[in-house]
Amino acid sequence: MEGQPTDSSPGERFILLEPLCEDPWEALWLGRDRETGARVVIRWPGPETLAQPEVLRDLLARYRTEYVATHDLQDLRVVSAIALESTGDGQQRLVAQYVPGQTLRDRLATRGALTPEEAILLAADVAQAIAVLAHRG
């Protein structure tokens, strides 16, 4: 698959298990951390992004920002980045905690609009997550 990093090196810390979402712009895979055994999410630029240097630069900058903002952060409302790495083939990957469950998009598609109470709770969680990140700098 074009744009997919390889797991040919037994020394690599993270291994790919299965795709979670794949589109031409960014791949999102479930993986495993060989050091801890934990499930992780591994993201990397897709072929469309790789073909457009400006888009690639912006995505890699976003990876760096996400890594700096969330690395080792211990808060249930924020997915923590674990690693920002270059693979042996030069591919850049962002590795983060895996949090099982539905995306908001999936939730809306399966059950429809949020109730006012659900929307308020969600907004409060998002606001608290932003506050945690803002406090961190």
Side-chain angles (χ1 to χ4, degrees):
M1 174 181 306
E2 188 178 348
Q4 176 180 335
T6 60
D7 184 35
S8 57
S9 170
E12 284 191 26
R13 178 176 171 186
F14 305 101
I15 58 173
L16 300 172
L17 297 177
E18 64 183 79
L20 295 172
C21 175
E22 217 169 330
D23 68 33
W25 298 100
E26 184 178 38
L28 187 73
W29 276 59
L30 178 64
R32 185 170 49 82
D33 184 335
R34 288 185 181 182
E35 290 180 10
T36 66
R39 288 181 166 191
V40 296
V41 171
I42 305 169
R43 295 167 47 194
W44 67 89
E48 288 290 328
T49 300
L50 292 171
Q52 299 183 45
E54 190 171 306
V55 175
L56 177 61
R57 185 180 63 245
D58 290 347
L59 180 63
L60 296 179
R62 191 174 79 210
Y63 284 177
R64 285 188 295 277
T65 299
E66 288 180 33
Y67 178 78
V68 169
T70 67
H71 180 67
D72 290 334
L73 185 63
Q74 301 299 317
D75 189 285
L76 293 176
R77 293 171 294 257
V78 179
V79 174
S80 181
I82 298 167
L84 181 61
E85 64 177 15
S86 294
T87 62
D89 61 2
Q91 185 69 263
Q92 297 289 307
R93 303 193 299 190
L94 178 65
V95 182
Q97 291 175 302
Y98 171 70
V99 180
Q102 281 187 311
T103 65
L104 179 58
R105 176 180 291 151
D106 291 342
R107 161 55 182 80
L108 294 172
T110 59
R111 294 184 31 212
L114 299 174
T115 67
E117 294 80 13
E118 290 172 322
I120 289 168
L121 289 173
L122 178 61
D125 277 347
V126 170
Q128 289 173 348
I130 292 169
V132 166
L133 293 168
H135 179 72
R136 186 165 189 180

